[in-house]
Amino acid sequence: MDKFVNIESVEKQLSAELWECSLPFNHAVIDGFLTESFALHIVSEFPSAEEPRWLGYDSSIENKLLISNWNDFPAPHYQLFSVLTSSEFSEFIGRCLGMSDELYPDPGLHGGGLHCHKNGGFLNPHLDYKQHPKMFMR
């Protein structure tokens, strides 16, 4: 994968059984997912909420800031998203979860990217869509 994602931690802590049993919805917590030095680098380079590259969303379901343009990512975030949106990573996670043919990366980050909530910000539970609007995955 890459030198900053700890594949051994993922393999030890992610399984189809744990995924299916997680409540209140399917999720996973993977301790040590990133190497400590890279995680600290990500935190230190996270853009200030005052920077103009953030897009603001304010509605009944969300009050947040978003950066989804790859060109606006700091270098370590760009590197991380490059790994997370790779076919290799999606296939690896799919194998861990027993969903080899069900996961697809979204390099366009539709609805994804960096998110930030100022004081009073929120993100209420919601469903953006059932099918990706641009990739036509089933």
Side-chain angles (χ1 to χ4, degrees):
M1 231 42 71
D2 205 286
K3 59 186 175 278
F4 50 80
V5 174
N6 188 341
I7 296 304
E8 293 79 25
S9 289
V10 177
E11 290 175 326
K12 288 179 184 175
Q13 299 175 65
L14 185 60
S15 69
E17 295 79 25
L18 290 174
W19 180 258
E20 292 299 324
C21 295
S22 55
L23 296 173
F25 49 83
N26 298 118
H27 69 282
V29 175
I30 303 171
D31 294 325
F33 178 76
L34 299 176
T35 63
E36 185 174 351
S37 61
F38 190 75
L40 292 171
H41 194 47
I42 287 281
V43 170
S44 71
E45 294 288 324
F46 197 85
S48 161
E50 308 310 317
E51 291 191 27
R53 57 181 140 177
W54 291 102
L55 299 174
Y57 289 83
D58 189 3
S59 71
S60 61
I61 61 167
E62 60 192 353
N63 182 312
K64 68 176 184 182
L65 301 173
L66 168 70
I67 298 174
S68 59
N69 182 333
W70 285 79
N71 294 322
D72 290 334
F73 290 159
H77 297 84
Y78 189 100
Q79 294 166 359
L80 179 59
F81 277 102
S82 293
V83 170
L84 297 179
T85 61
S86 70
S87 295
E88 179 186 22
F89 186 77
S90 291
E91 290 167 7
F92 168 70
I93 295 298
R95 282 192 306 275
C96 290
L97 295 175
M99 297 187 229
S100 296
D101 297 329
E102 300 175 44
L103 298 180
Y104 302 91
D106 178 12
L109 300 177
H110 189 83
L114 300 180
H115 294 254
C116 178
H117 296 266
K118 292 183 176 182
N119 287 340
F122 59 89
L123 179 62
N124 289 329
H126 66 282
L127 176 65
D128 287 339
Y129 44 79
K130 290 184 178 182
Q131 182 177 350
H132 194 287
K134 296 188 177 189
M135 294 178 66
F136 308 107
M137 296 297 168
R138 297 180 195 179

